[in-house]
C-alpha cells in the first residue's frame, strides 16, 4: 500500500463492479492514501478511518471502532429497506 494495484486488478477482474463506489476502511495514513489513489483512477473512493487518533490525511468519515462502523452500515441498510 498505497499502490492501488491489487484493488485495480480486482476491479479489472470484476467489470460488473463500479470502482467509483469503492470504500477503503482502515486505521492508518497508508490506508487513507490508498483510498485517494483508487479515487484518482476510478473517479471516487470513500475513505473510512477506524479510530479517532490523528493519522494524517483526512478521511471521509471517522468511526471510533470497526463495530461502530458496522452498526452505522446496518442502520443505513435498514433505512434503505424501509
Amino acid at each position: 500500500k498505497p499502490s492501488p494495484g491489487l484493488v485495480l486488478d480486482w476491479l479489472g477482474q470484476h467489470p460488473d463492479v463500479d470502482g467509483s463506489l469503492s470504500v477503503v476502511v482502515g486505521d492508518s495514513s497508508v490506508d487513507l492514501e490508498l483510498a485517494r489513489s483508487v479515487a484518482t483512477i476510478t473517479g471516487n473512493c470513500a475513505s473510512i478511518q477506524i479510530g479517532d487518533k490523528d493519522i494524517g490525511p483526512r478521511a471521509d468519515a471517522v468511526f471510533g471502532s470497526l463495530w461502530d462502523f458496522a452498526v452505522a452500515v446496518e442502520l443505513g441498510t435498514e433505512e434503505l429497506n424501509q
Side-chain angles (χ1 to χ4, degrees):
K1 292 190 255 182
S3 174
L6 289 175
V7 174
L8 298 176
D9 286 348
W10 188 91
L11 288 171
Q13 295 171 14
H14 299 86
D16 54 319
V17 175
D18 183 350
S20 69
L21 300 176
S22 300
V23 177
V24 172
V25 179
D27 62 355
S28 72
S29 61
V30 175
D31 297 324
L32 300 181
E33 290 172 24
L34 173 64
R36 295 205 181 358
S37 295
V38 171
T40 298
I41 295 165
T42 64
N44 195 21
C45 179
S47 57
I48 308 297
Q49 177 183 328
I50 302 301
D52 54 8
K53 64 182 179 181
D54 183 11
I55 60 173
R58 185 173 165 175
D60 295 312
V62 179
F63 293 88
S65 69
L66 191 55
W67 177 258
D68 293 339
F69 173 65
V71 168
V73 169
E74 177 66 23
L75 291 174
T77 301
E78 288 176 5
E79 282 185 26
L80 287 174
N81 290 328
Q82 290 181 2

Coordinates of all heavy atoms in Angstrom, one line a residue:
K1 N 0.9 -1.2 0.0 CA 0.0 0.0 0.0 C 0.9 1.2 0.0 O 2.0 1.2 0.6 CB -0.9 0.0 1.2 CG -1.9 -1.1 1.3 CD -2.9 -0.8 2.4 CE -2.7 -1.7 3.5 NZ -3.7 -1.6 4.6
P2 N 0.5 2.4 -0.5 CA -0.8 2.7 -1.0 C -0.9 2.5 -2.5 O -1.9 3.0 -3.1 CB -0.9 4.2 -0.7 CG 0.5 4.7 -0.8 CD 1.4 3.5 -0.3
S3 N -0.1 1.7 -3.1 CA -0.2 1.5 -4.6 C -1.6 0.7 -4.8 O -1.8 -0.3 -4.1 CB 0.9 0.6 -5.1 OG 0.7 0.2 -6.4
P4 N -2.4 1.2 -5.7 CA -3.7 0.7 -5.8 C -3.8 -0.6 -6.7 O -4.8 -1.0 -7.1 CB -4.5 1.8 -6.5 CG -3.5 2.5 -7.3 CD -2.2 2.5 -6.5
G5 N -2.6 -1.1 -7.0 CA -2.5 -2.2 -8.0 C -3.5 -3.4 -7.7 O -4.2 -3.9 -8.5
L6 N -3.5 -3.9 -6.4 CA -4.3 -5.0 -6.1 C -5.8 -4.7 -6.2 O -6.6 -5.5 -6.7 CB -4.0 -5.5 -4.7 CG -2.7 -6.2 -4.5 CD1 -2.5 -6.5 -3.0 CD2 -2.6 -7.5 -5.3
V7 N -6.1 -3.5 -5.8 CA -7.5 -3.1 -5.9 C -8.0 -3.0 -7.4 O -9.0 -3.5 -7.8 CB -7.8 -1.7 -5.2 CG1 -9.2 -1.2 -5.4 CG2 -7.5 -1.8 -3.7
L8 N -7.1 -2.4 -8.2 CA -7.4 -2.2 -9.6 C -7.4 -3.5 -10.3 O -8.3 -3.7 -11.2 CB -6.4 -1.2 -10.2 CG -6.5 0.2 -9.6 CD1 -5.4 1.1 -10.3 CD2 -7.9 0.8 -9.8
D9 N -6.5 -4.4 -10.0 CA -6.6 -5.7 -10.6 C -7.9 -6.4 -10.3 O -8.5 -7.0 -11.2 CB -5.4 -6.6 -10.0 CG -4.1 -6.2 -10.6 OD1 -4.0 -5.4 -11.6 OD2 -3.0 -6.7 -10.1
W10 N -8.3 -6.4 -9.0 CA -9.6 -7.0 -8.6 C -10.7 -6.4 -9.4 O -11.6 -7.1 -9.9 CB -9.8 -6.9 -7.1 CG -11.0 -7.6 -6.6 CD1 -11.0 -8.9 -6.2 CD2 -12.3 -7.2 -6.6 NE1 -12.2 -9.3 -5.9 CE2 -13.1 -8.3 -6.1 CE3 -13.0 -6.0 -6.9 CZ2 -14.5 -8.2 -5.9 CZ3 -14.4 -6.0 -6.8 CH2 -15.1 -7.1 -6.3
L11 N -10.8 -5.0 -9.5 CA -11.8 -4.4 -10.2 C -11.8 -4.8 -11.7 O -12.8 -4.9 -12.3 CB -11.7 -2.8 -10.1 CG -12.1 -2.3 -8.7 CD1 -11.7 -0.8 -8.7 CD2 -13.5 -2.5 -8.4
G12 N -10.6 -5.0 -12.3 CA -10.5 -5.4 -13.7 C -11.0 -6.8 -13.9 O -11.6 -7.1 -14.9
Q13 N -11.0 -7.6 -12.8 CA -11.5 -9.0 -12.9 C -13.0 -9.0 -12.7 O -13.6 -10.1 -12.8 CB -10.7 -9.9 -12.0 CG -9.3 -10.1 -12.3 CD -8.5 -10.8 -11.2 OE1 -9.1 -11.4 -10.3 NE2 -7.2 -10.7 -11.3
H14 N -13.5 -7.9 -12.2 CA -15.0 -7.9 -11.9 C -15.6 -6.6 -12.5 O -15.9 -5.7 -11.8 CB -15.2 -7.8 -10.3 CG -14.6 -9.1 -9.7 ND1 -13.3 -9.2 -9.3 CD2 -15.2 -10.2 -9.3 CE1 -13.1 -10.3 -8.7 NE2 -14.3 -11.0 -8.8
P15 N -15.7 -6.7 -13.8 CA -16.2 -5.5 -14.5 C -17.6 -5.0 -14.2 O -18.0 -3.9 -14.5 CB -16.1 -5.9 -16.0 CG -16.1 -7.4 -16.0 CD -15.5 -7.8 -14.7
D16 N -18.4 -5.9 -13.5 CA -19.7 -5.6 -13.1 C -19.7 -4.7 -11.8 O -20.7 -4.1 -11.5 CB -20.5 -6.8 -12.8 CG -19.8 -7.8 -11.8 OD1 -18.6 -7.9 -11.9 OD2 -20.5 -8.3 -11.0
V17 N -18.6 -4.5 -11.2 CA -18.4 -3.7 -10.0 C -18.0 -2.3 -10.4 O -17.0 -2.1 -11.2 CB -17.4 -4.3 -9.0 CG1 -17.2 -3.4 -7.8 CG2 -17.9 -5.7 -8.5
D18 N -18.7 -1.3 -10.0 CA -18.4 0.1 -10.3 C -17.3 0.6 -9.3 O -17.6 0.8 -8.1 CB -19.6 1.0 -10.1 CG -19.4 2.5 -10.5 OD1 -18.2 2.9 -10.7 OD2 -20.4 3.2 -10.6
G19 N -16.1 0.7 -9.8 CA -14.9 1.1 -9.0 C -15.1 2.5 -8.3 O -14.5 2.7 -7.2
S20 N -15.9 3.3 -8.9 CA -16.1 4.6 -8.2 C -17.0 4.6 -7.0 O -17.1 5.5 -6.3 CB -16.8 5.6 -9.2 OG -18.1 5.3 -9.5
L21 N -17.5 3.4 -6.7 CA -18.3 3.2 -5.5 C -17.5 2.5 -4.4 O -18.0 2.0 -3.4 CB -19.6 2.4 -5.8 CG -20.6 3.0 -6.8 CD1 -21.7 2.1 -7.1 CD2 -21.0 4.4 -6.3
S22 N -16.2 2.4 -4.6 CA -15.3 1.7 -3.7 C -15.2 2.4 -2.3 O -15.4 3.6 -2.2 CB -13.9 1.7 -4.3 OG -13.8 1.0 -5.5
V23 N -14.9 1.6 -1.3 CA -14.7 2.1 0.0 C -13.5 1.4 0.6 O -13.4 0.2 0.5 CB -16.0 1.8 0.9 CG1 -15.7 2.2 2.4 CG2 -17.2 2.4 0.4
V24 N -12.6 2.2 1.1 CA -11.4 1.7 1.8 C -11.6 2.0 3.3 O -11.8 3.2 3.7 CB -10.1 2.3 1.3 CG1 -8.9 1.9 2.2 CG2 -9.9 1.9 -0.1
V25 N -11.6 1.0 4.1 CA -11.7 1.1 5.6 C -10.4 0.8 6.2 O -9.8 -0.3 5.9 CB -12.8 0.1 6.1 CG1 -12.9 0.3 7.6 CG2 -14.1 0.4 5.5
G26 N -9.8 1.7 7.0 CA -8.5 1.4 7.6 C -8.2 2.2 8.8 O -9.0 3.1 9.2
D27 N -7.1 2.0 9.4 CA -6.7 2.7 10.6 C -5.3 3.3 10.5 O -4.7 3.7 11.5 CB -6.7 1.7 11.8 CG -5.7 0.6 11.7 OD1 -5.0 0.5 10.6 OD2 -5.5 -0.2 12.6
S28 N -4.8 3.5 9.3 CA -3.5 4.1 9.1 C -3.6 5.1 8.0 O -4.4 5.1 7.1 CB -2.5 3.1 8.9 OG -2.6 2.6 7.5
S29 N -2.6 6.0 8.0 CA -2.5 7.0 6.9 C -2.3 6.3 5.6 O -2.7 6.8 4.5 CB -1.3 8.0 7.2 OG -0.1 7.3 7.3
V30 N -1.6 5.2 5.6 CA -1.4 4.4 4.3 C -2.7 4.0 3.8 O -2.9 4.0 2.5 CB -0.5 3.2 4.6 CG1 -0.3 2.4 3.4 CG2 0.9 3.7 5.0
D31 N -3.7 3.5 4.6 CA -5.0 3.1 4.2 C -5.7 4.3 3.5 O -6.3 4.1 2.4 CB -5.8 2.6 5.3 CG -5.2 1.4 6.0 OD1 -4.7 0.5 5.2 OD2 -5.4 1.2 7.2
L32 N -5.6 5.5 4.1 CA -6.3 6.7 3.6 C -5.6 7.1 2.2 O -6.3 7.5 1.3 CB -6.3 7.8 4.6 CG -7.0 7.5 5.9 CD1 -6.9 8.7 6.8 CD2 -8.4 7.0 5.7
E33 N -4.3 6.9 2.2 CA -3.6 7.2 0.9 C -4.0 6.3 -0.2 O -4.2 6.6 -1.4 CB -2.1 7.2 1.1 CG -1.6 8.3 2.0 CD -0.1 8.1 2.3 OE1 0.6 7.4 1.6 OE2 0.3 8.7 3.3
L34 N -4.3 5.0 0.2 CA -4.8 4.0 -0.8 C -6.1 4.5 -1.4 O -6.3 4.4 -2.6 CB -4.9 2.6 -0.2 CG -5.5 1.6 -1.1 CD1 -4.7 1.3 -2.3 CD2 -5.7 0.3 -0.3
A35 N -7.0 4.9 -0.5 CA -8.3 5.4 -0.9 C -8.2 6.5 -1.9 O -8.8 6.5 -3.0 CB -9.2 5.8 0.3
R36 N -7.3 7.4 -1.6 CA -7.1 8.6 -2.5 C -6.5 8.1 -3.9 O -6.8 8.6 -4.9 CB -6.2 9.6 -1.9 CG -6.9 10.2 -0.7 CD -6.4 11.5 -0.3 NE -7.0 12.2 0.8 CZ -7.9 11.9 1.7 NH1 -8.5 10.7 1.5 NH2 -8.4 12.6 2.7
S37 N -5.6 7.1 -3.9 CA -5.0 6.6 -5.1 C -6.1 5.9 -5.9 O -6.1 6.1 -7.2 CB -3.9 5.6 -4.8 OG -2.8 6.2 -4.1
V38 N -6.9 5.2 -5.3 CA -8.0 4.5 -6.0 C -9.0 5.5 -6.6 O -9.4 5.5 -7.8 CB -8.8 3.5 -5.1 CG1 -10.0 3.0 -5.8 CG2 -7.8 2.3 -4.7
A39 N -9.3 6.6 -5.8 CA -10.2 7.6 -6.3 C -9.6 8.4 -7.5 O -10.4 8.7 -8.4 CB -10.5 8.6 -5.1
T40 N -8.3 8.6 -7.5 CA -7.7 9.3 -8.6 C -8.0 8.5 -10.0 O -8.2 9.1 -11.0 CB -6.2 9.4 -8.4 OG1 -6.0 10.2 -7.2 CG2 -5.5 10.1 -9.6
I41 N -8.0 7.2 -9.9 CA -8.1 6.4 -11.1 C -9.6 6.1 -11.4 O -10.0 6.1 -12.6 CB -7.3 5.1 -10.9 CG1 -5.8 5.5 -10.8 CG2 -7.5 4.1 -12.0 CD1 -4.9 4.4 -10.3
T42 N -10.4 5.8 -10.4 CA -11.8 5.4 -10.6 C -12.8 6.5 -10.6 O -13.9 6.3 -11.1 CB -12.2 4.4 -9.6 OG1 -12.3 5.0 -8.3 CG2 -11.4 3.1 -9.5
G43 N -12.4 7.7 -10.1 CA -13.2 8.8 -10.0 C -13.8 9.1 -8.7 O -14.2 10.2 -8.3
N44 N -13.7 8.0 -7.8 CA -14.2 8.2 -6.4 C -13.8 7.0 -5.6 O -13.7 5.9 -6.2 CB -15.7 8.5 -6.3 CG -16.1 9.0 -5.0 OD1 -15.3 9.6 -4.3 ND2 -17.4 8.8 -4.7
C45 N -13.6 7.2 -4.3 CA -13.4 6.1 -3.4 C -13.5 6.7 -2.0 O -12.8 7.6 -1.6 CB -12.0 5.5 -3.6 SG -11.7 4.1 -2.4
A46 N -14.5 6.2 -1.2 CA -14.7 6.7 0.1 C -13.6 6.2 1.0 O -13.2 5.0 0.9 CB -16.0 6.3 0.6
S47 N -13.1 7.1 1.9 CA -12.1 6.6 2.9 C -12.8 6.7 4.3 O -13.3 7.7 4.7 CB -10.9 7.5 2.9 OG -11.2 8.9 3.1
I48 N -12.7 5.5 5.0 CA -13.3 5.4 6.3 C -12.2 5.1 7.3 O -11.4 4.1 7.1 CB -14.3 4.2 6.4 CG1 -15.4 4.4 5.3 CG2 -14.9 4.2 7.8 CD1 -16.2 5.6 5.3
Q49 N -12.0 6.0 8.3 CA -10.9 5.8 9.3 C -11.6 5.1 10.5 O -12.6 5.6 11.0 CB -10.3 7.1 9.7 CG -9.3 7.0 10.8 CD -8.8 8.3 11.2 OE1 -8.6 9.3 10.4 NE2 -8.4 8.4 12.5
I50 N -10.9 4.1 11.0 CA -11.3 3.4 12.2 C -10.3 3.9 13.3 O -9.1 3.8 13.2 CB -11.2 1.9 12.1 CG1 -12.1 1.4 11.0 CG2 -11.6 1.2 13.4 CD1 -13.6 1.8 11.1
G51 N -10.9 4.5 14.4 CA -10.0 5.0 15.4 C -10.0 6.6 15.3 O -10.1 7.1 14.2
D52 N -9.9 7.2 16.4 CA -10.0 8.7 16.4 C -8.7 9.4 16.5 O -8.7 10.6 16.7 CB -11.0 9.2 17.5 CG -10.6 8.6 18.9 OD1 -9.6 8.0 19.0 OD2 -11.5 8.8 19.8
K53 N -7.6 8.7 16.5 CA -6.3 9.4 16.5 C -6.0 10.1 15.2 O -6.5 9.7 14.2 CB -5.2 8.4 16.9 CG -5.0 7.3 15.8 CD -3.9 6.3 16.2 CE -3.7 5.3 15.1 NZ -2.8 4.3 15.3
D54 N -5.2 11.1 15.3 CA -4.9 11.9 14.1 C -3.8 11.1 13.3 O -2.7 11.0 13.8 CB -4.4 13.3 14.5 CG -4.1 14.1 13.3 OD1 -4.4 13.8 12.1 OD2 -3.4 15.2 13.5
I55 N -4.2 10.6 12.2 CA -3.2 9.8 11.4 C -2.8 10.5 10.1 O -2.2 9.8 9.3 CB -3.8 8.4 11.1 CG1 -5.1 8.5 10.3 CG2 -4.0 7.6 12.4 CD1 -5.6 7.1 9.8
G56 N -3.1 11.7 9.9 CA -2.7 12.4 8.7 C -3.8 12.8 7.8 O -4.6 13.6 8.2
P57 N -3.8 12.2 6.6 CA -4.8 12.6 5.6 C -6.2 12.5 6.2 O -6.5 11.6 7.0 CB -4.7 11.6 4.5 CG -3.3 11.0 4.6 CD -3.0 11.1 6.1
R58 N -7.1 13.5 5.8 CA -8.4 13.5 6.4 C -9.3 12.4 5.7 O -9.3 12.3 4.4 CB -9.0 14.9 6.1 CG -10.3 15.0 6.7 CD -10.8 16.5 6.7 NE -12.2 16.5 6.9 CZ -12.9 17.6 7.0 NH1 -12.3 18.8 6.8 NH2 -14.2 17.6 7.3
A59 N -10.0 11.7 6.5 CA -10.9 10.6 5.9 C -12.3 11.2 5.7 O -12.6 12.3 6.2 CB -11.0 9.5 6.9
D60 N -13.0 10.6 4.8 CA -14.4 11.0 4.5 C -15.3 10.8 5.8 O -16.3 11.6 6.0 CB -15.0 10.2 3.3 CG -14.2 10.5 2.1 OD1 -14.0 11.7 1.8 OD2 -13.9 9.6 1.3
A61 N -15.0 9.8 6.6 CA -15.7 9.5 7.8 C -14.8 8.9 8.8 O -13.9 8.1 8.4 CB -17.0 8.7 7.5
V62 N -15.1 9.1 10.1 CA -14.2 8.5 11.1 C -15.2 7.8 12.1 O -16.2 8.4 12.6 CB -13.4 9.6 11.9 CG1 -12.6 9.0 13.0 CG2 -12.5 10.3 10.9
F63 N -14.8 6.6 12.5 CA -15.6 5.8 13.5 C -14.6 5.4 14.6 O -13.5 5.1 14.3 CB -16.2 4.6 12.8 CG -17.3 5.0 11.9 CD1 -17.0 5.2 10.5 CD2 -18.6 5.1 12.3 CE1 -18.0 5.6 9.6 CE2 -19.6 5.5 11.4 CZ -19.3 5.7 10.1
G64 N -15.1 5.4 15.8 CA -14.2 5.0 16.9 C -13.8 3.6 16.9 O -12.7 3.3 17.4
S65 N -14.5 2.7 16.3 CA -14.2 1.3 16.2 C -14.8 0.7 15.0 O -15.7 1.2 14.4 CB -14.7 0.5 17.4 OG -16.1 0.5 17.5
L66 N -14.3 -0.5 14.6 CA -14.9 -1.2 13.5 C -16.4 -1.6 13.8 O -17.2 -1.6 12.9 CB -14.1 -2.5 13.2 CG -14.4 -3.2 11.9 CD1 -14.3 -2.2 10.7 CD2 -13.4 -4.4 11.7
W67 N -16.6 -1.9 15.1 CA -18.0 -2.2 15.5 C -18.9 -1.0 15.2 O -20.0 -1.1 14.7 CB -18.1 -2.5 16.9 CG -19.4 -2.8 17.4 CD1 -20.2 -1.9 18.2 CD2 -20.3 -3.9 17.2 NE1 -21.4 -2.4 18.4 CE2 -21.5 -3.7 17.8 CE3 -20.1 -5.1 16.5 CZ2 -22.6 -4.6 17.7 CZ3 -21.1 -6.0 16.4 CH2 -22.3 -5.7 17.0
D68 N -18.5 0.3 15.5 CA -19.2 1.5 15.3 C -19.5 1.6 13.8 O -20.6 2.0 13.4 CB -18.5 2.7 15.8 CG -18.4 2.7 17.3 OD1 -19.1 2.1 18.0 OD2 -17.5 3.5 17.8
F69 N -18.6 1.3 13.0 CA -18.8 1.4 11.5 C -19.8 0.4 11.1 O -20.7 0.7 10.3 CB -17.4 1.2 10.8 CG -17.6 1.1 9.3 CD1 -18.0 2.2 8.5 CD2 -17.2 -0.1 8.6 CE1 -18.1 2.1 7.2 CE2 -17.3 -0.2 7.3 CZ -17.8 0.9 6.5
A70 N -19.7 -0.8 11.6 CA -20.6 -1.9 11.2 C -22.0 -1.6 11.6 O -23.0 -1.8 10.8 CB -20.2 -3.2 11.8
V71 N -22.2 -1.0 12.8 CA -23.5 -0.6 13.2 C -24.1 0.5 12.3 O -25.3 0.5 11.9 CB -23.5 -0.1 14.7 CG1 -24.8 0.6 15.1 CG2 -23.2 -1.2 15.6
A72 N -23.3 1.5 11.9 CA -23.7 2.5 11.0 C -24.1 2.0 9.7 O -25.1 2.4 9.1 CB -22.6 3.6 10.8
V73 N -23.4 1.0 9.2 CA -23.7 0.4 7.9 C -25.1 -0.4 8.0 O -25.9 -0.2 7.2 CB -22.6 -0.6 7.4 CG1 -23.1 -1.5 6.3 CG2 -21.4 0.2 7.0
E74 N -25.2 -1.1 9.1 CA -26.5 -1.8 9.3 C -27.7 -0.8 9.4 O -28.7 -1.1 8.8 CB -26.4 -2.6 10.6 CG -27.7 -3.3 11.0 CD -28.1 -4.4 10.0 OE1 -27.2 -4.9 9.3 OE2 -29.3 -4.8 9.9
L75 N -27.5 0.3 10.2 CA -28.6 1.3 10.3 C -28.9 1.9 8.9 O -30.1 2.1 8.6 CB -28.2 2.3 11.3 CG -28.2 1.9 12.7 CD1 -27.6 3.0 13.6 CD2 -29.5 1.4 13.2
G76 N -27.9 2.2 8.1 CA -28.1 2.7 6.8 C -28.8 1.7 5.9 O -29.7 2.1 5.1
T77 N -28.5 0.5 6.0 CA -29.1 -0.6 5.2 C -30.6 -0.7 5.6 O -31.5 -0.8 4.7 CB -28.4 -1.9 5.4 OG1 -27.0 -1.8 5.0 CG2 -29.1 -3.0 4.6
E78 N -30.9 -0.6 6.9 CA -32.3 -0.7 7.3 C -33.1 0.5 6.8 O -34.2 0.3 6.4 CB -32.3 -0.7 8.9 CG -31.9 -2.0 9.5 CD -31.8 -2.0 11.0 OE1 -32.2 -1.0 11.6 OE2 -31.3 -3.0 11.6
E79 N -32.5 1.7 6.8 CA -33.2 2.8 6.3 C -33.5 2.7 4.8 O -34.6 3.1 4.3 CB -32.3 4.1 6.5 CG -32.4 4.6 7.9 CD -31.6 5.9 8.0 OE1 -31.5 6.7 7.0 OE2 -31.2 6.2 9.1
L80 N -32.5 2.1 4.0 CA -32.8 1.9 2.6 C -33.9 0.9 2.3 O -34.6 1.0 1.3 CB -31.5 1.5 1.9 CG -30.4 2.5 1.8 CD1 -29.1 1.8 1.2 CD2 -30.8 3.6 0.9
N81 N -34.0 0.0 3.2 CA -35.0 -1.1 3.0 C -36.4 -0.7 3.5 O -37.4 -1.4 3.4 CB -34.6 -2.4 3.7 CG -33.4 -3.0 3.0 OD1 -33.3 -2.9 1.8 ND2 -32.6 -3.6 3.8
Q82 N -36.6 0.5 4.1 CA -37.9 0.9 4.5 C -38.7 1.6 3.4 O -38.3 2.1 2.5 CB -37.7 1.9 5.7 CG -37.2 1.2 6.9 CD -37.1 2.2 8.1 OE1 -37.5 3.4 8.0 NE2 -36.6 1.7 9.2

